[in-house]
Amino acid sequence: MKPFGYVRAGSVAHAVQVAAERPGARFLGGGTNLVDLMKLGVESPPLLIDVSRLPLDRIEELPDGGLRIGAMVRNSDLAAAPAVRDRYPVLSQAVLSGASGQLRNTATTGGNLLQRTRCLYFQDVTKPCNKRAPGTGCPAREGAHRDLAVLGHSEHCVATQPSDLAVALAALDATVHLHGPDGERGVPVTTFHRLPGDRPDRDTVIRTGELITAVELPPALPGLHMRYRKARDRSSFAFALVSVAAVLAVRDGAVRHAALAYGGLAHRPWRARAAEAVLHGASATEDTFARAADAELAAARPLRDNGFKVALARGLTVGVLADLAARA
Amino acid sequence: MDSSNRPAGGAGVPRSAATGERSEVILRVNGTTYTLAVDHRATLLDVLRERLDLTGAKKGCDHGQCGACTVLVDGRRANSCLLLAVAQDGRRLTTVEGLADGLRLHPLQEAFLARDALQCGYCTPGQICSALGAIREAADGFPSYVTPDDARSGAPVELTDDEIRERMSGNLCRCGAYPRIVEAVGDVRGAAATGDAADTGSRGAGEAS
């Protein structure tokens, strides 16, 4: 690891100011991904700005009935918060499906959204990788890509976004709040992460020096049922092969509201708008759910070794929606 | 349940942009306060082992995947290999060395012995610290992925064997002693005596110096 400076931010404004003064500086939250990437040589910031003790560690009720989650709320505290468990269970389930107890105690809400892909080539500095070293190529296209993308990838990058939390937030239409040199702004979580295109080095639309301060959830309307389901190689402490966050409301046998987002399939949480269009107003049957999944997954372009993800996503979608419809 | 994360202590950590490569920190480990200058690159695990001669926490993978380095930070378990020591300034740290009360072992240590819940023993300090954290988390109402949907938010969670397996999944054992580890943790579940000698069971980060 290369030597680096360290400063503890006294305020959000202070953190943002220091970041603006020191190109390449990184914010340190829980550090569970950043410190690991520094050990691997993938990250070598000249300065760490420790934001972990900023007063962004509260979950607050919003006047409209929504919830504001501070960026420094730990994953385990987020998953355990009664307001989250009771009103947004899909979010609690998603967080609890990720990582381990130790990691969830350390990792933060903001940091979770900014974690990097676990593509093997990205994490190995002896290998080419367009995300880590733009222009060097993508060995994953012909190499080890079983865990990688089937939707939205490009010739430059086939990486997947690894966060479970982000998938649930995408289905919940959450907003990411940022504070930067040019002030504050909010970005829908569905457009916060990017598709790789020809700039796979950029995971998100965050600008240099911007700090995530909070994530806001809109009110959870009555009658919504929601669930996170994750398929992985072992039953705990593993990244998703495919995951699905589903929010469903059914009345008189017809779908009144549906929001679906996939994890493990793309460079960002994949909000399934085509599937939702099939679901809206249709009868809440397994046939409808299968047609919805097929409508979304028609765009899939699997690589040599990850075609199984398409069938897996279809099965998860039908299963989780059928479970939710049975509760409605 | 305590979700606070208030600033604690902090004599020598700079608040202006630091270009130096070392900072002075105060670490409170097993009830003893240490003031030392640390290289910013040093992990808590390395400082515990190399500077403070607390070699209970082990370096297994050094990437947060095996759990052998597990310690308690302000009462909650964490992978010390992924924590920078400089960022732990003022935190209350407990390692496996802090669990026994003199020669009297912690109930979890007794249970691991009684159940023969190890072979080589390399992962055991991390297993025991993790189990202590897991038992407290369940008592404090933290759910896991296998906690039933209809469990009441905030209520203590019963540590079934499934709950123990799920909550301990961050600790690998290459000897495969998992069945005995689940039994050992199960022996101590719900026991009142899940505090430790250096930390009489108090929780939370609010007791800033």
Side-chain angles (χ1 to χ4, degrees):
Chain A
M1 204 187 291
K2 292 187 178 137
F4 54 87
Y6 171 89
V7 56
R8 187 180 299 162
S11 66
V12 169
H14 178 219
V16 169
Q17 179 206 329
V18 174
E21 291 166 359
R22 290 292 298 275
R26 290 281 188 269
F27 296 120
L28 176 69
T32 53
N33 189 212
L34 178 60
V35 172
D36 193 27
L37 291 173
M38 290 167 68
K39 289 183 180 193
L40 294 169
V42 174
E43 288 276 2
S44 50
L47 175 70
L48 288 186
I49 304 165
D50 187 347
V51 295
S52 67
R53 303 190 197 207
L54 293 180
L56 302 173
D57 59 345
R58 295 287 184 270
I59 299 176
E60 297 161 326
E61 296 287 343
L62 292 171
D64 67 355
L67 218 51
R68 181 179 176 91
I69 302 160
M72 288 301 118
V73 172
R74 306 286 158 163
N75 287 182
S76 35
D77 292 324
L78 174 61
V84 174
R85 283 179 78 182
D86 296 342
R87 282 149 56 191
Y88 308 93
V90 65
L91 180 56
S92 181
Q93 291 157 5
V95 171
L96 292 172
S97 78
S100 66
Q102 290 96 316
L103 290 167
R104 290 191 297 271
N105 278 343
T106 306
T108 64
T109 304
N112 185 297
L113 295 179
L114 294 176
Q115 65 178 304
R116 311 300 305 272
T117 185
R118 287 344 190 257
C119 175
L120 298 174
Y121 303 100
F122 173 76
Q123 298 185 95
D124 181 349
V125 296
T126 69
K127 301 293 187 295
C129 170
N130 286 328
K131 181 179 283 298
R132 175 171 35 74
T136 55
C138 176
R141 289 195 65 83
E142 300 299 326
H145 56 229
R146 173 182 174 271
D147 297 344
L148 301 181
V150 300
L151 284 166
H153 52 76
S154 74
E155 61 180 303
H156 303 287
C157 183
V158 294
T160 44
Q161 215 295 127
S163 168
D164 292 292
L165 168 76
V167 179
L169 292 179
L172 291 170
D173 285 310
T175 303
V176 182
H177 286 262
L178 301 161
H179 195 120
D182 300 326
E184 298 176 47
R185 65 181 178 130
V187 178
V189 76
T190 48
T191 56
F192 180 70
H193 296 91
R194 298 175 66 255
L195 291 180
D198 60 1
R199 287 297 304 275
D201 55 309
R202 297 190 62 216
D203 291 353
T204 70
V205 299
I206 203 164
R207 296 174 193 146
T208 304
E210 276 187 324
L211 175 69
I212 299 178
T213 52
V215 172
E216 286 190 5
L217 299 175
L221 301 174
L224 292 181
H225 296 271
M226 49 183 91
R227 181 85 211 165
Y228 190 73
R229 189 167 292 177
K230 177 172 176 177
R232 42 187 163 174
D233 283 330
R234 59 184 182 194
S235 62
S236 184
F237 197 13
F239 290 98
L241 294 166
V242 182
S243 66
V244 58
V247 180
L248 188 73
V250 175
R251 195 173 347 127
D252 301 329
V255 175
R256 294 300 168 201
H257 175 86
L260 277 182
Y262 292 113
L265 295 185
H267 196 261
R268 70 179 184 205
W270 190 269
R271 182 70 185 262
R273 307 278 186 194
E276 292 169 16
V278 172
L279 292 170
H280 282 292
S283 58
T285 62
E286 291 202 12
D287 178 62
T288 300
F289 303 150
R291 281 193 294 112
D294 289 340
E296 191 67 43
L297 296 166
R301 288 177 294 135
L303 305 165
R304 182 192 64 230
D305 292 333
N306 68 0
F308 73 96
K309 285 193 174 191
V310 179
L312 190 53
R314 186 181 195 271
L316 282 178
T317 308
V318 175
V320 73
L321 289 175
D323 283 356
L324 291 177
R327 285 195 233 162
Chain B
M1 128 187 11
D2 189 300
S3 64
S4 70
N5 182 33
R6 297 181 192 92
V13 174
R15 285 176 178 274
S16 58
T19 52
E21 296 169 8
R22 300 170 72 80
S23 294
E24 188 171 277
V25 294
I26 294 171
L27 299 180
R28 297 189 286 153
V29 189
N30 301 331
T32 302
T33 300
Y34 303 87
T35 303
L36 66 170
V38 296
D39 188 309
H40 294 159
R41 294 171 294 183
T43 62
L44 176 62
L45 175 63
D46 283 340
V47 168
L48 290 172
R49 293 180 54 85
E50 310 291 338
R51 302 281 301 280
L52 306 183
D53 290 330
L54 293 168
T55 55
K58 296 294 188 284
K59 185 176 284 192
C61 70
D62 208 24
H63 291 285
Q65 296 172 5
C66 77
C69 66
T70 301
V71 300
L72 301 169
V73 179
D74 290 331
R76 291 170 65 170
R77 56 189 171 147
N79 300 108
S80 63
C81 76
L82 292 180
L83 299 176
L84 294 176
V86 66
Q88 304 314 308
D89 184 45
R91 300 289 190 209
R92 186 167 48 84
L93 308 164
T94 304
T95 70
V96 73
E97 289 92 341
L99 300 189
D101 183 4
L103 292 176
R104 205 179 75 221
L105 293 179
H106 186 278
L108 269 167
Q109 294 172 309
E110 293 283 8
F112 270 65
L113 282 173
R115 291 287 187 174
D116 199 16
L118 58 128
Q119 285 185 45
C120 81
Y122 195 81
C123 73
T124 309
Q127 298 277 1
I128 289 175
C129 285
S130 185
L132 179 55
I135 290 169
R136 286 182 181 170
E137 286 159 17
D140 289 344
F142 284 86
S144 85
Y145 192 59
V146 301
T147 303
D149 288 347
D150 55 3
R152 191 164 60 82
S153 292
V157 181
E158 184 192 351
L159 276 184
T160 62
D161 287 356
D162 279 350
E163 285 276 4
I164 292 171
R165 290 189 193 96
E166 167 60 27
R167 288 168 189 266
M168 293 293 291
S169 70
N171 292 82
L172 304 187
C173 170
R174 293 211 313 191
C175 302
Y178 297 111
R180 298 291 176 87
I181 292 170
V182 172
E183 290 172 4
V185 177
D187 286 348
V188 185
R189 76 185 123 204
T194 49
D196 53 70
D199 157 20
T200 52
S202 64
R203 291 182 291 110
E207 48 173 271
S209 56

